[in-house]
Amino acid sequence: LHIAAFSVDYALAPEHTFPAPQNDVLAAYKGLLDLGIPGDQIILAGESAGATLCLTLALMVRQQHLFPPRAIVAMSPRADCTVQSGEKVLFLDIGTNGEMALVAGTGGDRWIAVCSTAAGPVFEGAGIRDGMRGGPGAIAGVVLTPGPITASGRGAGSFTEAARTFSARVRTIGNASPAGICGSGVLTAVSELVRVKAVDATGLLAVPWFAEGFPLARRADGSELRIYQEDIRAVQLAKAAIRAGAETLPLACGIASREIDAVLVAGAFGEALPFSRLSPLGLLPPALLNQCRAVGNTSLAGAARVLRAILVGKAEEACSFAALDRIVAASREVPLAGRKDFEACYLAMTGFG
């Protein structure tokens, strides 16, 4: 087959916000049309966030009356972000405090159960030896693939397991030279190390990386960025807290994980997570991984919505605050401290597999 493949280096969260990624893929599509490539010879393809961008691009192409693509291959897209009445929805803000809310019921009987679980700062890239916030140059994604050792900054890590050689391919925010590892980078790195058995079920990093860390990439000055044993331990404790909270909150309300219809993950951190690649990590129950939808910075969006209502007029302001009062009235806290089921789940989930 004579096929030319183009990969769009679109803007990524958290450095860039909506609609920067959408504008990038639209510009790339227009660029192909400007090169004289007809739309009926273009196939859009993507996975997860990339799949969602393919669908969004198709809508933008239609709105701007451009020549449509021949086909779309969208694997695991976020195609429907609405929440229907009666759905059981788990809301997660994966961060230091791990806030969670479970929404269920119908109509006037809609209720909200809330809790928080102390996950620590690892999701913010803190407490990691080579960690940093999610800014330019932060490693935000890691994939271990079969291949030789490379000397480039995007593939410095390599090890041999069962006569197979793996190399680390990293994605940085802003496509800048690697400068550190942010929260999503730490999670994907550890998940990949577990997947290829460089980290065992107890979280132990294989020799010789136990002592010196596993190399992921090189900084511009040539120094290496590594995942160390203590980084893996920090991830184990943090992911166990999130997993235990995500399992205990529904159970405390008489709901099994398999009954949850959608999982909404808030924040730029959630937008950067490739949930389909986190199965080896055990961050969430398997039944919930395919239900995850990134919903962006919801706290900021909510604050902006209230402020907009205040600026519009007294009636809109009153309506907005009444909606907030209804949310507060419908909410009840589920304290996790001291719950035996939470403690048991937390201890069981510190391992992998």
Side-chain angles (χ1 to χ4, degrees), residues 13-14 94-95 122-124 182-185 187 265-273 275 283:
I94 301 178
V122 67
F123 295 126
E124 317 293 341
C182 67
S184 59
L187 288 190
V265 185
F269 179 73
E271 290 184 312
L273 283 180
F275 292 101
L283 179 67

Side-chain angles (χ1 to χ4, degrees), residues 250-331:
L251 289 177
C253 301
I255 296 174
S257 295
R258 65 179 180 276
E259 297 179 73
I260 294 176
D261 299 296
V263 180
L264 307 183
V265 185
F269 179 73
E271 290 184 312
L273 283 180
F275 292 101
S276 61
R277 290 186 173 273
L278 296 183
S279 179
L281 203 62
L283 179 67
L284 292 173
L288 299 185
L289 273 179
N290 291 331
Q291 305 288 352
C292 289
R293 310 174 190 170
V295 291
N297 193 335
T298 52
S299 60
L300 179 61
R305 185 173 179 177
V306 172
L307 180 59
R308 188 182 303 112
I310 293 173
L311 295 175
V312 169
K314 290 295 184 181
E316 288 77 7
E317 177 181 348
C319 183
S320 179
F321 279 97
L324 290 176
D325 289 338
R326 288 194 297 271
I327 292 173
V328 173
S331 302

Side-chain angles (χ1 to χ4, degrees), residues 14-332:
E15 182 184 14
H16 302 281
T17 58
F18 176 87
Q22 290 77 8
N23 289 339
D24 284 348
V25 295
L26 178 61
Y29 187 82
K30 287 182 175 179
L32 293 178
L33 296 179
D34 290 342
L35 290 174
I37 302 174
D40 60 4
Q41 292 185 16
I42 299 175
I43 297 176
L44 307 180
E47 178 188 8
S48 189
T52 304
L53 281 175
C54 287
L55 299 182
T56 305
L57 174 59
L59 292 174
M60 297 171 77
V61 166
R62 185 177 66 178
Q63 291 170 353
Q64 298 191 22
H65 305 289
L66 301 175
F67 204 113
R70 183 181 185 88
I72 301 174
V73 181
M75 296 167 281
S76 302
R78 174 189 167 199
D80 183 5
C81 297
T82 60
V83 175
Q84 303 298 325
S85 177
E87 281 190 327
K88 300 177 181 67
V89 180
L90 181 63
F91 178 89
L92 303 177
D93 187 353
I94 301 178
T96 301
N97 297 316
E99 294 93 348
M100 305 180 185
L102 178 64
V103 184
T106 59
D109 295 326
R110 199 83 161 146
W111 52 266
I112 306 171
V114 299
C115 72
S116 64
T117 176
V122 67
F123 295 126
E124 317 293 341
I128 301 299
R129 194 184 297 191
D130 287 335
M132 65 176 288
R133 67 176 184 83
I139 294 176
V142 177
V143 177
L144 296 181
T145 56
I149 298 174
T150 68
S152 71
R154 296 220 175 6
S158 180
F159 70 94
T160 301
E161 183 268 328
R164 296 179 64 194
T165 301
F166 293 87
S167 60
R169 307 296 179 187
V170 307
R171 174 176 60 82
T172 62
I173 294 177
N175 201 34
S177 178
I181 312 170
C182 67
S184 59
V186 172
L187 288 190
T188 53
V190 174
S191 183
E192 285 289 274
L193 288 170
V194 173
R195 180 180 65 84
V196 300
K197 297 181 174 56
V199 169
D200 68 15
T202 69
L204 192 66
L205 186 60
V207 176
W209 305 282
F210 176 81
E212 62 187 35
F214 183 84
L216 295 179
R218 296 185 187 277
R219 297 183 178 90
D221 62 7
S223 60
E224 288 187 325
L225 292 167
R226 294 171 176 257
I227 289 290
Y228 295 90
Q229 182 63 61
E230 61 264 33
D231 300 338
I232 296 170
R233 293 303 185 207
V235 168
Q236 287 180 268
L237 298 177
K239 71 97 177 179
I242 297 296
R243 175 68 177 266
E247 292 212 15
T248 305
L249 179 61
L251 289 177
C253 301
I255 296 174
S257 295
R258 65 179 180 276
E259 297 179 73
I260 294 176
D261 299 296
V263 180
L264 307 183
V265 185
F269 179 73
E271 290 184 312
L273 283 180
F275 292 101
S276 61
R277 290 186 173 273
L278 296 183
S279 179
L281 203 62
L283 179 67
L284 292 173
L288 299 185
L289 273 179
N290 291 331
Q291 305 288 352
C292 289
R293 310 174 190 170
V295 291
N297 193 335
T298 52
S299 60
L300 179 61
R305 185 173 179 177
V306 172
L307 180 59
R308 188 182 303 112
I310 293 173
L311 295 175
V312 169
K314 290 295 184 181
E316 288 77 7
E317 177 181 348
C319 183
S320 179
F321 279 97
L324 290 176
D325 289 338
R326 288 194 297 271
I327 292 173
V328 173
S331 302
R332 63 183 178 90

